Amino acid sequence: MLTTRPAQRSDWLDYPDVQLVHTIAGAVIQLADLGSLASFKLPYPAEAQRALDRTVLACLLRGVEEIPRSLSDLLIWCHSRPLEDWPLDLPPDAFGADEYLVDPDALVPTQLCHEWWIRAKDAGAAQFDRDVVYTAMRLCRQASSPESYTAFRRLLVDRPVLTTVEKFEIDTDLFLAPVLELVGQCYVAAPVSYQHQGVYITCGRCLTLLTPLADGGWWCERDRCRRRGTPPHGRVLTDADSGGLLQLRRPLRQFVTGPGRAEVELEARLNRLGLAVELWPGFDAYDLRITFPDGHVWAVDVKDWKHPGLLGRSAKPVRPEPPYDESCWVVPQEQADAHHDYLGTYRRSRLAAAEGLPLLTDNRLVELAEARLNGATGIRLDSALSRNGARRA
């Protein structure tokens, strides 16, 4: 009697529960926007109820006895059970160890949760960060002012938290004049949940507000920051000092400020080697344009993503203008180290449309840059130049 092998599943969407994780992540984000994740009352929001119903159904179809019987149960799963332990049919490299949708200590959505949410096909609100960036590009192009766009991007990277006095200073900044109305839409009042005994504290590394914990400690929302150890305290602000504190909306903190911190750190490291580095050239065609003394140019996009599979599925060739010789994406070394096979998972998840776009760690990029400066021959970001036709004229 012949036996038939199970069909090979080469695409993430061939796994039935990938969309379920998107749905659960969206529900967690929605609930967090409404209030504390510690408790909720009926009726549940529609997205949350759908996530619960679909999770229960997935468990029943697999004959699992322990199922979440309420939204509270589902949220407990989110912060007490790593996703790799959920009874779901997912790609084998979908998750590493100890990856949760809700942080066990702070009880807020994790960076991983936001990444799954941002990739949900039905998450229209998840496009907010991109809409803001594209609008800024359009307004600055209309004003023929690339300097204004660079100033806007630096504002989102360097000043995720503003006092009323600082907001007034921004409102009178001539470089930001083309995007002032947009800036007003980027910031919202900081919730009191970030306050402890009348005090707000920013992270000394990533500059965002720290979240107070029940044990008296403080928690940083950036995974990469937390892996560096206890977040150092930055600014200490009271309502009296701030006159009403503002912070960037979460999608901007997550997908603009976070990667932006990695971009400016990499810029500083390359500048110390004596390289000419331009941030966000051509109205943010890519993140860094690195020019060597012989005129050879690298184009780099920095991606501070926790999940390499989602990153691989998002990969696409770096835009060809301003022109360059080679291109790649770069991930912070801490993110790569936190996953058992970050670069390999990225490559396996990368779609054909990415045209073989290489992914390097920031440490590896700096090593290659230093070696090239020291005269090493054959230094390439990949085995061949990008196949997107981006050669310097």
Side-chain angles (χ1 to χ4, degrees), residues 32-33 106 108-109 114 161 188-202 208-213 217-221 237 245 247-250 253:
D33 287 342
V108 298
H114 279 271
V161 177
V188 294
V192 294
S193 58
Y194 288 94
Q195 188 184 86
H196 180 64
Q197 296 181 346
V199 168
Y200 294 92
I201 297 179
T202 65
T208 57
L209 287 174
L210 296 175
T211 301
L213 300 175
W218 294 83
W219 180 87
C220 180
E221 65 187 19
L237 301 165
L245 206 61
Q247 69 169 350
L248 282 176
R249 295 177 183 272
R250 178 61 192 252
R253 302 198 311 272

Side-chain angles (χ1 to χ4, degrees), residues 250-280:
R250 178 61 192 252
L252 292 172
R253 302 198 311 272
Q254 185 72 52
F255 296 104
V256 180
T257 306
R261 299 306 307 163
E263 291 158 12
V264 298
E265 289 172 9
L266 181 56
E267 175 201 27
R269 293 174 68 182
L270 294 167
N271 280 335
R272 286 196 290 270
L273 295 179
L275 286 166
V277 183
E278 182 182 358
L279 274 176
W280 312 303

Side-chain angles (χ1 to χ4, degrees), residues 159-228:
R159 307 182 80 174
V161 177
L162 294 176
T163 65
T164 300
V165 172
E166 291 166 343
K167 179 61 166 60
F168 176 78
E169 293 172 351
I170 288 170
D171 289 342
T172 57
D173 188 325
L174 294 180
F175 278 119
L176 292 171
V179 291
L180 274 184
E181 185 175 347
L182 181 64
V183 169
Q185 299 173 24
C186 293
Y187 289 86
V188 294
V192 294
S193 58
Y194 288 94
Q195 188 184 86
H196 180 64
Q197 296 181 346
V199 168
Y200 294 92
I201 297 179
T202 65
C203 177
R205 279 191 288 258
C206 64
L207 311 181
T208 57
L209 287 174
L210 296 175
T211 301
L213 300 175
D215 64 3
W218 294 83
W219 180 87
C220 180
E221 65 187 19
R222 297 299 299 172
D223 288 352
R224 190 163 70 96
C225 187
R226 294 197 305 276
R227 281 195 291 272
R228 296 183 181 184

Side-chain angles (χ1 to χ4, degrees), residues 43-71:
Y44 301 150
E47 181 75 2
Q49 186 66 58
R50 185 164 77 243
L52 175 60
D53 293 344
R54 291 184 59 191
T55 304
V56 170
L57 178 60
C59 292
L60 292 176
L61 290 175
R62 287 162 182 75
V64 177
E65 295 183 2
E66 182 187 358
I67 63 175
R69 299 186 180 278
S70 67
L71 184 57

Side-chain angles (χ1 to χ4, degrees), residues 15 36 64 85 111 137 158 174 196 202 240 266 310 329 368:
Y15 291 83
S36 170
V64 177
D85 293 340
Q111 181 177 342
M137 288 181 194
D158 293 337
L174 294 180
H196 180 64
T202 65
L266 181 56
L310 294 176
W329 279 7
L368 292 176

Side-chain angles (χ1 to χ4, degrees), residues 213-351:
L213 300 175
D215 64 3
W218 294 83
W219 180 87
C220 180
E221 65 187 19
R222 297 299 299 172
D223 288 352
R224 190 163 70 96
C225 187
R226 294 197 305 276
R227 281 195 291 272
R228 296 183 181 184
T230 302
H233 289 188
R235 296 195 292 170
V236 178
L237 301 165
T238 66
D239 283 332
D241 296 329
S242 65
L245 206 61
L246 301 173
Q247 69 169 350
L248 282 176
R249 295 177 183 272
R250 178 61 192 252
L252 292 172
R253 302 198 311 272
Q254 185 72 52
F255 296 104
V256 180
T257 306
R261 299 306 307 163
E263 291 158 12
V264 298
E265 289 172 9
L266 181 56
E267 175 201 27
R269 293 174 68 182
L270 294 167
N271 280 335
R272 286 196 290 270
L273 295 179
L275 286 166
V277 183
E278 182 182 358
L279 274 176
W280 312 303
F283 292 97
D284 205 12
Y286 42 87
D287 294 329
L288 294 94
R289 190 170 194 266
I290 305 163
T291 304
F292 288 85
D294 63 358
H296 194 81
V297 175
W298 287 353
V300 173
D301 263 333
V302 179
K303 305 295 181 181
D304 190 6
W305 282 62
K306 181 177 178 62
H307 199 285
L310 294 176
L311 182 62
R313 292 190 61 82
S314 303
K316 57 185 177 182
V318 176
R319 281 184 279 178
E321 295 291 337
Y324 53 83
D325 292 286
E326 299 180 78
S327 63
C328 69
W329 279 7
V330 163
V331 64
Q333 186 70 50
E334 296 100 322
Q335 290 287 28
D337 289 344
H339 196 281
H340 67 282
D341 186 19
Y342 194 104
L343 299 182
T345 301
Y346 164 84
R347 287 192 296 270
R348 290 189 294 274
S349 305
R350 184 179 55 194
L351 302 178

